[in-house]
Amino acid sequence: MIFRRHDDDEEDEEEIELVRFQGALDGREADLKANAKLARMGHGPAKELVTNALSRRAEKLVVEPKGEKGSLVRLFVDGIPYSGGRLSKQHGLVITQMLKLLAGLDVQERRRPQSGGIKAELAGIPYEILVDSRPLGGGFERLILRSRNLKEPRDTPETIGITPELKAKIRELTADKRGVVVACGPPDSGVSTTALGIMRSIDAYMYSVSNLADLHGRKLLNVTDFERDPEDDFDTVLGRLVRVEADVVFLDPIEDPAAARTIFEWQKKLVLISEMKAKDAAHGIVQLCQWAGDPAIVAEGLKAAVSPKLVRLLCTKCRQAYRPHPKILAKTGLPKTTKALYRPPRPGELDEENGEEAVCERCGGAGYRGRTAIFQVIEMTPAMQKLVVSGGSSAAIREQAAKEGMQTFRSDGLRAVAAGSTSLEELQRVFRES
């Protein structure tokens, strides 16, 4: 299906392919007959909105109601916000309800949060679009779409920035088939993808690996989805996994003290991998100690806490090499033998023959395309255990980790810079916004 766009300065109309919606992720069929008026008013505008977002490589789209003034649309491309224009009050409402309908959500419900998803395709590329509606009162809802290009897998250890060294470290820490490994981070930091990357770093051929988590449509190869009895509580389910001789279990996020205590009660019999909301790994450890009620339990059972920070990848087509000044190398701690670093092109560096500045087709002139993660990794060494048991603060935990030479955001970020994956300017931006 296509729509036509006419520019005043051009006589020819341009045909643009629209996204094709292919049903809800959970398999529910949208009842378009019962919602005929909504479909008539909202289907086309919803397609145009999503098409624009996907065409611009937006990983997130937010429709933010502003009362009678209508709704603001924001697009996030590689984590950077851009304006997506403004919708009238009516258009914002019908688009929101239409996308909820397509995602298998209740269009009549506007007082509680809802989550679903849509299968879609644009220009031969399959997508999964996660749809979240959040009530704002007065009948208004914030709509959040998160898209995933299924041709660009982003959750293997290699694609998310887990180095061979870190992958080997994860395998070493879990080799005795016991303990907890947790990914810690704020929302939209890549923490869920990091938890999956940790899980995928474990050799599923060597261990019996089971999944208890809601993967939101993602797949874990060679991992068994454990069928739990709806009447069984968390403790009972983990006991059943031990009885069937599971070695490693992937869990839903840790969100409360009860879950934390249960996990650490079973850490001597299973490797338990999960995630939690926290500023970083050090804050996550402190939070786990508070939830568990006894820091000694965490010190004994936690193998490592891993925290991601997303950085943009330099566009491999237009990135520019330069020789770094020795003072820069000394200030950052990069090796003195570093011959070249990379940065985005500056104005005038991509001039065409006719004198007009060229725009890189791969990145659209942004200088970056895609993102990767750099990681903070805090292991529970004997010295770290002693600090945690004594009630050490998050700052003290970070200081101890650096003292022991554990991987920090800074050290991993400089590794990515030295490899040409990102730039010093991008690291400065990310650390400044943290």
Side-chain angles (χ1 to χ4, degrees):
M1 184 175 180
I2 59 175
F3 71 90
R4 298 179 182 276
R5 185 176 66 193
H6 182 75
D7 295 324
D8 294 338
D9 296 334
E10 297 182 9
E11 294 184 359
D12 296 332
E13 292 180 332
E14 182 183 357
E15 294 184 349
I16 298 177
E17 181 180 1
L18 282 176
V19 67
R20 293 170 56 205
F21 296 131
Q22 300 174 319
L25 289 179
D26 63 6
R28 292 187 223 176
E29 290 189 19
D31 191 345
L32 297 180
K33 284 188 177 181
N35 296 275
K37 183 178 179 180
L38 173 60
R40 185 172 62 254
M41 296 177 63
H43 201 243
K47 280 194 166 191
E48 292 187 18
L49 184 74
V50 174
T51 298
N52 178 54
L54 296 181
S55 298
R56 293 171 65 176
R57 295 193 301 107
E59 73 271 7
K60 185 168 79 167
L61 178 152
V62 179
V63 179
E64 186 79 36
K66 296 296 180 181
E68 297 300 323
K69 296 180 180 180
S71 298
L72 293 179
V73 179
R74 287 179 295 154
L75 305 178
F76 292 79
V77 181
D78 296 334
I80 305 298
Y82 296 91
S83 172
R86 183 183 290 273
L87 300 172
S88 69
K89 178 182 176 182
Q90 182 183 33
H91 269 94
L93 178 62
V94 297
I95 287 173
T96 295
Q97 299 309 311
M98 188 69 226
L99 289 169
K100 284 171 59 180
L101 178 66
L102 293 170
L105 306 182
D106 182 355
V107 296
Q108 302 300 323
E109 178 59 72
R110 302 184 190 179
R111 293 176 298 178
R112 63 180 179 85
Q114 295 187 76
S115 297
I118 304 170
K119 291 181 285 187
E121 182 181 302
L122 178 62
I125 299 174
Y127 291 89
E128 287 182 350
I129 302 173
L130 301 182
V131 179
D132 292 287
S133 65
R134 296 290 180 262
L136 299 176
F140 293 105
E141 297 172 278
R142 178 186 296 113
L143 185 72
I144 304 170
L145 306 185
R146 292 179 175 85
S147 66
R148 188 152 61 98
N149 181 337
L150 299 184
K151 284 193 174 181
E152 295 181 357
R154 299 177 184 176
D155 44 22
T156 64
E158 295 75 19
T159 56
I160 70 172
I162 292 180
T163 61
E165 293 77 13
L166 179 52
K167 186 174 180 179
K169 173 61 69 175
I170 292 168
R171 292 190 172 189
E172 174 191 329
L173 292 172
T174 57
D176 60 358
K177 302 181 183 180
R178 60 173 295 273
V180 178
V181 181
V182 61
C184 308
D188 295 328
S189 68
V191 65
S192 295
T193 301
T194 297
L196 279 169
I198 291 170
M199 188 69 178
R200 287 190 165 118
S201 295
I202 293 174
D203 191 343
Y205 291 103
M206 296 291 293
Y207 301 96
S208 172
V209 185
S210 296
N211 171 56
L212 288 178
D214 181 357
L215 299 178
H216 301 288
R218 300 186 185 187
K219 304 296 181 184
L220 281 171
L221 297 178
N222 304 310
V223 174
T224 303
D225 285 323
F226 190 76
E227 295 186 11
R228 57 189 299 177
D229 189 318
E231 297 183 1
D232 287 346
D233 60 18
F234 189 27
D235 185 75
T236 301
V237 172
L238 292 180
R240 289 179 57 203
L241 281 162
V242 169
R243 287 193 291 275
V244 298
E245 299 183 337
D247 298 319
V248 183
V249 183
F250 189 61
L251 304 172
D252 278 321
I254 307 171
E255 296 180 333
D256 53 59
R261 286 193 292 268
T262 300
I263 286 170
F264 282 99
E265 285 171 2
W266 288 97
Q267 61 82 18
K268 292 183 179 180
K269 298 182 178 180
L270 294 163
V271 173
L272 300 141
I273 298 174
S274 188
E275 65 175 271
M276 63 182 294
K277 291 181 182 178
K279 182 179 179 181
D280 58 18
H283 279 85
I285 292 171
V286 172
Q287 181 67 73
L288 284 173
C289 290
Q290 294 173 353
W291 280 351
D294 183 356
I297 295 174
V298 176
E300 177 190 14
L302 186 66
K303 293 289 188 175
V306 181
S307 184
K309 197 180 288 290
L310 294 173
V311 297
R312 291 181 295 171
L313 289 165
L314 282 165
C315 176
T316 54
K317 185 175 181 180
C318 68
R319 67 180 184 175
Q320 303 291 300
Y322 67 97
R323 184 179 293 278
H325 194 282
K327 288 184 178 179
I328 294 294
L329 297 180
K331 183 177 180 180
T332 59
L334 286 165
K336 295 180 180 180
T337 55
T338 302
K339 299 297 183 183
L341 296 177
Y342 292 85
R343 56 169 172 74
R346 291 171 178 165
E349 289 184 332
L350 296 180
D351 285 350
E352 293 181 331
E353 293 181 2
N354 60 8
E356 295 182 3
E357 187 176 348
V359 175
C360 176
E361 294 180 358
R362 184 174 184 274
C363 67
Y368 298 90
R369 183 183 172 94
R371 288 190 291 176
T372 190
I374 55 176
F375 298 100
Q376 174 194 60
V377 183
I378 298 181
E379 302 168 46
M380 202 53 60
T381 61
M384 187 64 74
Q385 285 179 318
K386 185 177 180 180
L387 175 61
V388 169
V389 170
S390 69
S393 67
S394 58
I397 290 173
R398 282 193 297 272
E399 184 178 343
Q400 180 64 32
K403 182 179 178 181
E404 294 190 53
M406 297 181 196
Q407 183 171 303
T408 65
F409 286 130
R410 185 176 187 276
S411 65
D412 202 32
L414 290 174
R415 173 201 57 79
V417 167
S421 300
T422 193
S423 67
L424 285 172
E425 293 86 351
E426 174 66 1
L427 282 190
Q428 290 172 343
R429 181 192 70 82
V430 169
F431 291 143
R432 187 168 58 246
E433 294 181 356
S434 297

